[in-house]
Amino acid sequence: MATSVYGIEDVEYAPISADGTLPTTGWKKLGPIADDAVTLTIPAIATTDIRVQNVSGVYEVLPGDTDPAEMVATGVDINGELAADISGGTWTAATKTFDAPAGDVIKQFAWRLTSKPLNGVKAQFFIRKAATLFNPALSFVRNDLVKFTFTAR
């Protein structure tokens, strides 16, 4: 019987472990996730075919330059502390003020995606080390919540 996966229950991030293993503590939840707003793209492995003069066909296959996996998630909880943590900006709780970083800031985190349970089974997908970008394209409209997006690759 096949194992099926659907939906997202949690999107979490944590500081990268010094030894490269997945963190066991320190995971923080992104909060409520916008509908249909999480994607995980794992690109095909790129290869380079080596051909030589005196052998027909491909003589050897070498690994090529493969793009990293990429996760994009959009949250609806405008949590200033979390946004500051991920973006490198600052959050002042007393005034509820978020100050985005000046310039492009890329922070490194581990990411964990957990699916909703289906037939009692959840699936987890991990990115051990990802360059994380905060993409604050905020739309303030009267018929929807303000959302923010993170890209990890």
Side-chain angles (χ1 to χ4, degrees), residues 18-88:
D19 64 0
T21 61
L22 283 171
T24 55
T25 61
W27 291 98
K28 296 180 184 178
K29 293 179 188 268
L30 193 56
I33 306 300
D35 252 355
D36 300 326
V38 176
T39 59
L40 176 61
T41 305
I42 302 172
I45 296 172
T47 60
T48 301
D49 293 342
I50 304 298
R51 297 178 186 274
V52 296
Q53 291 291 326
N54 57 343
V55 176
S56 63
V58 175
Y59 179 74
E60 186 67 69
V61 178
L62 301 176
D65 290 331
T66 300
D67 289 330
E70 181 174 88
M71 185 269 311
V72 178
T74 301
V76 297
D77 180 10
I78 305 302
N79 178 329
E81 185 177 328
L82 180 135
D85 189 26
I86 293 176
S87 71

Side-chain angles (χ1 to χ4, degrees), residues 1-5 118-121:
M1 180 174 174
T3 301
S4 300
V5 174
L118 182 61
N119 300 322
V121 177

Side-chain angles (χ1 to χ4, degrees), residues 10 36 53-54 68 73 92 98 117 135 148:
D10 286 318
D36 300 326
Q53 291 291 326
N54 57 343
T92 306
F98 172 69
N135 304 313
F148 63 90

Side-chain angles (χ1 to χ4, degrees), residues 100-137:
D104 298 328
V105 175
I106 298 174
K107 295 190 72 178
Q108 301 287 335
F109 293 105
W111 286 85
R112 175 170 63 192
L113 307 177
T114 304
S115 74
K116 290 183 176 180
L118 182 61
N119 300 322
V121 177
K122 294 180 188 181
Q124 289 190 323
F125 301 88
F126 296 94
I127 301 176
R128 292 178 189 275
K129 180 181 179 184
T132 303
L133 308 158
F134 177 60
N135 304 313

